[in-house]
Tab-separated table of all heavy atoms in Angstrom:
chain	number	residue	atom	x	y	z
A	62	LEU	N	15.468	-13.833	15.613
A	62	LEU	CA	14.771	-14.777	14.758
A	62	LEU	C	14.409	-16.035	15.537
A	62	LEU	O	15.162	-16.499	16.396
A	62	LEU	CB	15.647	-15.138	13.559
A	62	LEU	CG	15.829	-14.014	12.535
A	62	LEU	CD1	16.983	-14.326	11.599
A	62	LEU	CD2	14.547	-13.809	11.739
A	173	PRO	N	18.833	2.669	-6.821
A	173	PRO	CA	18.833	1.681	-7.907
A	173	PRO	C	17.535	0.904	-8.009
A	173	PRO	O	17.189	0.414	-9.081
A	173	PRO	CB	20.013	0.767	-7.543
A	173	PRO	CG	20.240	0.983	-6.076
A	173	PRO	CD	19.875	2.409	-5.816
A	185	GLU	N	5.540	11.313	-8.170
A	185	GLU	CA	4.637	10.985	-7.070
A	185	GLU	C	5.427	10.635	-5.814
A	185	GLU	O	5.085	11.069	-4.705
A	185	GLU	CB	3.728	9.821	-7.458
A	185	GLU	CG	2.742	9.449	-6.370
A	185	GLU	CD	1.666	8.490	-6.846
A	185	GLU	OE1	1.413	8.450	-8.068
A	185	GLU	OE2	1.081	7.808	-6.006
A	187	ARG	N	8.483	11.641	-5.117
A	187	ARG	CA	9.062	12.888	-4.620
A	187	ARG	C	8.037	13.676	-3.815
A	187	ARG	O	8.369	14.359	-2.840
A	187	ARG	CB	9.584	13.718	-5.792
A	187	ARG	CG	10.798	13.138	-6.492
A	187	ARG	CD	11.372	14.109	-7.519
A	187	ARG	NE	12.508	13.528	-8.219
A	187	ARG	CZ	12.435	12.948	-9.413
A	187	ARG	NH1	11.268	12.881	-10.055
A	187	ARG	NH2	13.513	12.438	-9.980
A	197	LEU	N	14.272	17.130	-0.432
A	197	LEU	CA	14.896	16.105	-1.266
A	197	LEU	C	15.679	16.772	-2.386
A	197	LEU	O	15.127	17.607	-3.121
A	197	LEU	CB	13.835	15.177	-1.853
A	197	LEU	CG	14.304	14.163	-2.902
A	197	LEU	CD1	15.249	13.136	-2.274
A	197	LEU	CD2	13.112	13.464	-3.561
A	217	SER	N	30.162	22.867	-3.297
A	217	SER	CA	29.316	23.561	-2.326
A	217	SER	C	29.195	22.699	-1.064
A	217	SER	O	29.615	21.535	-1.039
A	217	SER	CB	27.935	23.840	-2.915
A	217	SER	OG	27.253	22.619	-3.179
A	340	PRO	N	-8.078	1.709	-8.341
A	340	PRO	CA	-9.356	2.150	-7.775
A	340	PRO	C	-9.291	2.418	-6.275
A	340	PRO	O	-10.094	3.175	-5.745
A	340	PRO	CB	-10.299	0.977	-8.085
A	340	PRO	CG	-9.689	0.297	-9.261
A	340	PRO	CD	-8.208	0.454	-9.086
A	360	LEU	N	2.478	1.517	-5.962
A	360	LEU	CA	2.572	2.596	-4.992
A	360	LEU	C	1.247	2.667	-4.252
A	360	LEU	O	0.202	2.966	-4.848
A	360	LEU	CB	2.866	3.925	-5.700
A	360	LEU	CG	4.077	3.935	-6.639
A	360	LEU	CD1	4.242	5.310	-7.273
A	360	LEU	CD2	5.350	3.527	-5.897
A	361	ASP	N	1.287	2.341	-2.955
A	361	ASP	CA	0.074	2.303	-2.131
A	361	ASP	C	-0.972	1.348	-2.698
A	361	ASP	O	-2.177	1.592	-2.587
A	361	ASP	CB	-0.524	3.704	-1.987
A	361	ASP	CG	0.357	4.631	-1.165
A	361	ASP	OD1	1.038	4.133	-0.248
A	361	ASP	OD2	0.381	5.841	-1.445
Side-chain angles (χ1 to χ4, degrees):
L62 289 165
E185 181 169 337
R187 291 188 182 98
L197 172 66
S217 65
L360 307 180
D361 292 328

